[in-house]
Amino acid sequence: MVGITGCGPVCLAMAGYYVTGDVSFNPGAMAEFAQNNGYYSAGNGSSWTLISEGGVKLGLEVTEIPLVKKKIMGNLEAGNPIICAMGKGDFTTTGHYIVLVGT
């Protein structure tokens, strides 16, 4: 159920479309890609490798950056979307992905 555990594919779709303008980066296609390539865990959602490895398989340039304000701000100022894996806290009680494109 993309509406319950689909934040990974949805964020990948948003970031992919943002940088490419390619409509094939859409939530349905990314959810199918996650399922078909072993990135989805039933009831748990998507593994981080959907973003790190899956993004590369889809032709995106993927770079993991540290949780450092200067790195985050530099990437956002350069126009790079950032997919964040959020832990338990304000956004979720278990885990959640969000996309940053500005401040």
Side-chain angles (χ1 to χ4, degrees):
M1 298 251 323
V2 172
I4 297 172
T5 59
C7 58
V10 169
C11 286
L12 184 57
M14 289 190 293
Y17 180 77
Y18 181 84
V19 298
T20 68
D22 183 346
V23 296
S24 67
F25 282 98
N26 64 71
M30 295 302 100
E32 185 176 333
F33 173 81
Q35 179 71 39
N36 292 341
N37 289 277
Y39 298 117
Y40 173 72
S41 174
N44 296 312
S46 306
S47 67
W48 176 251
T49 54
L50 169 62
I51 309 304
S52 62
E53 295 173 9
V56 172
K57 285 182 182 178
L58 291 164
L60 300 174
E61 183 178 328
V62 178
T63 303
E64 292 188 42
I65 61 172
L67 186 57
V68 174
K69 183 178 180 179
K70 185 175 180 177
K71 294 280 188 181
I72 293 168
M73 295 303 292
N75 273 278
L76 293 175
E77 289 167 2
N80 300 326
I82 300 173
I83 299 175
C84 300
M86 308 304 294
K88 186 176 180 178
D90 292 336
F91 293 98
T92 181
T93 57
T94 56
H96 190 52
Y97 294 107
I98 63 172
V99 178
L100 305 178
V101 294
T103 59

